[in-house]
C-alpha cells in the first residue's frame, strides 16, 4: 500500500512540472524574454533573449507619464522583431518624438508578444530634467561609413564602459564594447570601426551608450544619423614615359568598386592648361576595397612618351560614377625619336651566334674564312721567295 502511494505522488509531481513549463510567463522567465531596457526622451533600446530560435514576435513600447491616480501614454510604438537565433542577445532601438517635454518622472513599458499573447513585460523608470550632474558628458558624436567617434569630458575622475551600436531601422546590426575606460581631467576622443558591411546611400544611426558605475549606476546615451557612402583615397602615385600607377586606400565599410582614369597631356609652350593635347587616357578597375584595405593599380602607355613634359591627371571614380578624388603631376621624358628607334625589336636580319639549320654558327663561318685568307697569304709570300735568283 505504501509503495502505491509513493508511485501516485511521483506521478502527480511530474504532471505539475509539465504544466508549469508550458505556462505563459509574463515576468521575463519564458523562452523569449526582455532582459534589458533603457530610455530617455529621445530614444530607447530593448534587449531580447531566447533559448530557442524565434520569429514573428511583436515588441510593443510605450512612453508613459505618471499622473495623479492615472497615467498618460505619450507615445506607443509596435514593430515586429523579425527572426533571431537561439541563445543570442538581440537589441532593438526606437526613437521618440516628444515635443515640449515636462520635467519629471517617466516610464518605458515594453511588452514582447506572440499573436497577442504577452511573453514578457518589463519597465524602465527615469527622470527628465534632474538637477543632478553626471560625472561625464558627451561633447560630440560623429558616426560615418568608417566607424564612430565620441568626445567625452569628465566632471570628475570616472571609470566607465562604452558600448558602440550601428543601427539600421530598429535593428542593431553591429555592436562592440570597450570596458573599464577612464577619464581624469581633460576631454578625450574614443572611436570604434564598424565590423560589418554597409549599403551605399543607405541611412544608419550611430549610437553610444556609456555605462557609469558610481556614485550610482546609470547611462549616458547619444545617437546621430548618417548616410553610408563608398569612399577611398589615392595615397601614392608613380609615373614615367612607359606608364603610371596609383595606390588606393579604402575609407568606408561600403565595398568600393570604382575605377581609376589615367590621362597624359602634352604640355604646349605658352599655352593654358585647358589647351594641352591629350595623348592617351586609360581607365582601369580598382579591386574591391573595404576600410583600410589598399591596392595598387598599374597602366602602360600604348607607346612610350617621347621627349618633352607631360601633365598626368589621375581620377578616382566612385561606385556611382562620381569623381571622389583627382590628383595631377608631371612626367618629364628624355626619350628622343632616335633613342626610340633603337628600342625597336629585332627584325631578324642581325647576325646571330645561334646555330643555323646545319649546326654551323655564324662565328664559326667568320673564323673559317679568316683562316683560309691567312693560308692563301702564306703561300703567296712563299712563291715570291722561290722565284728570286
Amino acid at each position: 500500500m505504501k509503495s502505491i502511494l509513493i508511485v501516485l505522488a511521483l506521478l502527480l509531481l511530474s504532471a505539475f512540472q509539465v504544466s508549469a513549463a508550458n505556462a505563459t510567463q509574463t515576468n521575463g522567465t519564458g523562452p523569449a524574454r526582455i532582459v534589458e531596457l533603457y530610455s530617455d526622451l529621445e530614444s530607447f533600446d530593448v534587449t531580447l533573449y531566447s533559448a530557442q530560435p524565434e520569429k514573428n514576435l511583436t515588441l510593443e513600447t510605450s512612453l508613459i507619464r505618471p499622473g495623479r491616480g492615472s497615467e498618460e501614454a505619450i507615445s506607443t510604438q509596435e514593430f515586429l522583431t523579425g527572426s533571431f537565433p537561439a541563445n543570442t542577445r538581440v537589441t532593438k532601438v526606437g526613437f521618440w518624438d516628444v515635443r515640449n517635454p515636462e520635467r519629471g518622472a517617466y516610464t518605458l513599458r515594453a511588452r514582447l508578444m506572440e499573436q497577442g499573447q504577452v511573453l514578457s513585460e518589463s519597465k524602465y523608470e527615469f527622470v527628465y530634467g534632474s538637477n543632478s550632474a553626471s560625472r561625464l558628458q558627451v561633447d560630440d558624436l560623429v558616426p560615418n561609413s568608417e566607424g564612430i567617434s565620441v568626445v567625452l569630458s569628465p566632471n570628475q575622475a570616472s571609470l566607465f564602459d562604452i558600448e558602440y551600436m550601428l543601427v539600421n531601422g530598429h535593428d542593431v546590426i553591429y555592436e562592440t564594447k570597450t570596458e573599464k575606460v577612464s577619464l581624469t581631467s581633460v576631454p578625450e576622443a574614443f572611436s570604434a570601426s564598424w565590423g560589418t558591411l554597409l549599403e551605399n546611400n543607405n541611412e544608419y544611426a550611430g549610437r553610444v551608450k556609456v555605462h557609469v558605475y558610481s556614485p550610482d549606476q546609470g547611462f549616458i546615451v547619444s545617437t546621430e544619423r548618417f548616410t553610408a557612402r563608398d569612399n577611398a583615397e589615392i595615397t601614392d602615385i608613380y609615373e614615367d614615359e612607359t606608364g603610371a600607377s596609383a595606390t588606393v586606400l579604402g575609407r568606408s565599410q561600403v565595398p568600393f568598386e570604382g575605377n581609376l582614369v589615367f590621362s597624359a597631356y602634352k604640355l604646349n609652350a605658352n599655352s593654358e592648361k585647358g589647351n594641352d593635347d591629350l595623348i592617351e587616357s586609360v581607365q582601369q578597375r580598382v579591386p574591391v576595397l573595404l576600410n583600410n584595405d589598399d591596392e595598387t593599380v598599374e597602366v602602360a602607355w600604348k607607346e612610350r612618351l617621347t621627349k618633352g613634359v607631360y601633365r598626368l591627371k589621375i581620377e578616382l571614380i566612385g561606385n556611382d560614377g562620381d569623381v571622389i578624388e583627382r590628383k595631377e603631376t608631371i612626367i618629364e621624358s628624355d626619350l628622343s625619336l632616335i633613342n626610340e628607334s633603337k628600342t625597336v625589336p629585332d627584325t631578324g636580319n642581325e647576325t646571330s651566334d645561334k646555330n643555323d639549320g646545319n649546326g654551323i654558327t655564324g662565328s664559326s663561318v667568320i673564323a673559317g674564312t679568316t683562316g683560309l685568307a691567312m693560308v692563301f697569304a702564306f703561300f703567296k709570300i712563299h712563291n715570291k721567295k722561290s722565284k728570286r735568283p
Side-chain angles (χ1 to χ4, degrees):
M1 184 66 179
K2 185 177 181 179
S3 60
I4 295 174
L5 292 174
I6 293 174
V7 172
L8 289 173
L10 290 174
L11 289 174
L12 290 172
L13 180 60
S14 299
F16 174 77
Q17 289 175 344
V18 170
S19 63
N22 292 332
T24 300
Q25 303 290 331
T26 60
N27 59 0
T29 60
R33 62 188 185 274
I34 299 170
V35 295
E36 189 175 315
L37 281 176
Y38 170 81
S39 181
D40 53 29
L41 287 186
E42 295 182 357
S43 64
F44 64 88
D45 58 66
V46 181
T47 301
L48 310 175
Y49 179 85
S50 178
Q52 62 189 29
E54 299 287 353
K55 62 179 180 179
N56 298 328
L57 301 183
T58 300
L59 180 63
E60 181 189 83
T61 57
S62 298
L63 180 62
I64 298 171
R65 178 82 160 99
R68 294 181 179 179
S70 62
E71 56 184 27
E72 176 189 3
I74 299 175
S75 178
T76 298
Q77 298 183 22
E78 185 177 296
F79 51 88
L80 295 175
T81 62
S83 59
F84 54 93
N87 302 317
T88 302
R89 292 167 62 96
V90 176
T91 302
K92 302 294 180 179
V93 172
F95 299 91
W96 306 121
D97 183 16
V98 180
R99 301 179 181 180
N100 302 319
E102 299 179 1
R103 292 174 176 266
Y106 291 85
T107 300
L108 166 65
R109 184 177 65 199
R111 297 195 299 176
L112 184 63
M113 299 179 292
E114 183 177 24
Q115 297 179 353
Q117 181 181 9
V118 177
L119 303 178
S120 177
E121 183 173 4
S122 185
K123 294 181 180 181
Y124 178 86
E125 297 178 345
F126 64 97
V127 177
Y128 171 73
S130 173
N131 293 325
S132 61
S134 171
R135 288 194 169 202
L136 294 171
Q137 67 180 29
V138 176
D139 291 336
D140 202 3
L141 177 66
V142 180
N144 58 23
S145 302
E146 298 180 60
I148 186 170
S149 298
V150 60
V151 177
L152 300 175
S153 60
N155 295 318
Q156 54 183 304
S158 302
L159 188 67
F160 52 92
D161 301 337
I162 306 178
E163 193 172 355
Y164 306 91
M165 302 180 192
L166 176 62
V167 184
N168 185 15
H170 290 294
D171 301 324
V172 175
I173 59 175
Y174 180 76
E175 188 174 357
T176 185
K177 189 175 184 179
T178 303
E179 297 181 332
K180 298 181 180 178
V181 186
S182 64
L183 278 179
T184 55
S185 59
V186 296
E188 189 172 337
F190 302 91
S191 300
S193 298
W194 304 133
T196 188
L197 299 183
L198 305 183
E199 182 181 346
N200 199 23
N201 301 319
N202 190 48
E203 186 179 85
Y204 298 88
R207 183 177 176 89
V208 292
K209 190 174 183 180
V210 182
H211 186 184
V212 181
Y213 290 93
S214 62
D216 297 318
Q217 291 201 39
F219 296 95
I220 304 168
V221 176
S222 183
T223 306
E224 289 288 342
R225 298 181 186 273
F226 71 97
T227 300
R229 308 282 190 203
D230 63 301
N231 193 20
E233 65 174 316
I234 300 172
T235 59
D236 190 28
I237 58 177
Y238 175 81
E239 72 289 332
D240 62 16
E241 67 273 8
T242 63
S245 68
T247 301
V248 181
L249 177 67
R251 287 298 190 190
S252 172
Q253 281 300 105
V254 176
F256 183 80
E257 302 176 276
N259 297 275
L260 278 168
V261 179
F262 299 82
S263 301
Y265 298 84
K266 181 68 177 291
L267 292 181
N268 298 319
N270 302 323
S271 67
E272 297 181 358
K273 181 177 179 180
N275 295 328
D276 299 338
D277 296 330
L278 176 63
I279 303 301
E280 187 175 349
S281 182
V282 182
Q283 179 170 303
Q284 188 71 26
R285 177 182 171 274
V286 178
V288 178
L289 298 175
L290 289 177
N291 191 35
N292 290 328
D293 292 343
D294 66 327
E295 289 286 350
T296 299
V297 178
E298 300 177 349
V299 297
W301 310 127
K302 293 180 181 178
E303 296 181 0
R304 298 178 68 178
L305 302 179
T306 57
K307 187 174 182 179
V309 179
Y310 299 81
R311 177 169 61 93
L312 174 64
K313 181 174 69 175
I314 303 176
E315 294 177 309
L316 183 61
I317 311 299
N319 295 1
D320 297 329
D322 53 322
V323 178
I324 293 178
E325 186 177 13
R326 180 184 291 110
K327 285 195 174 184
E328 293 188 357
T329 187
I330 292 296
I331 301 175
E332 187 172 3
S333 175
D334 296 327
L335 184 66
S336 65
L337 292 174
I338 297 176
N339 291 334
E340 187 178 17
S341 65
K342 291 181 179 180
T343 63
V344 176
D346 296 342
T347 60
N349 295 326
E350 290 81 357
T351 302
S352 173
D353 288 340
K354 295 182 180 180
N355 293 343
D356 58 15
N358 296 324
I360 302 175
T361 64
S363 58
S364 299
V365 173
I366 295 173
T369 303
T370 304
L372 289 175
M374 293 176 64
V375 171
F376 178 76
F378 173 79
F379 280 108
K380 186 175 181 180
I381 294 172
H382 180 75
N383 289 336
K384 286 183 179 180
K385 289 182 178 180
S386 62
K387 291 181 181 180
R388 292 177 182 177

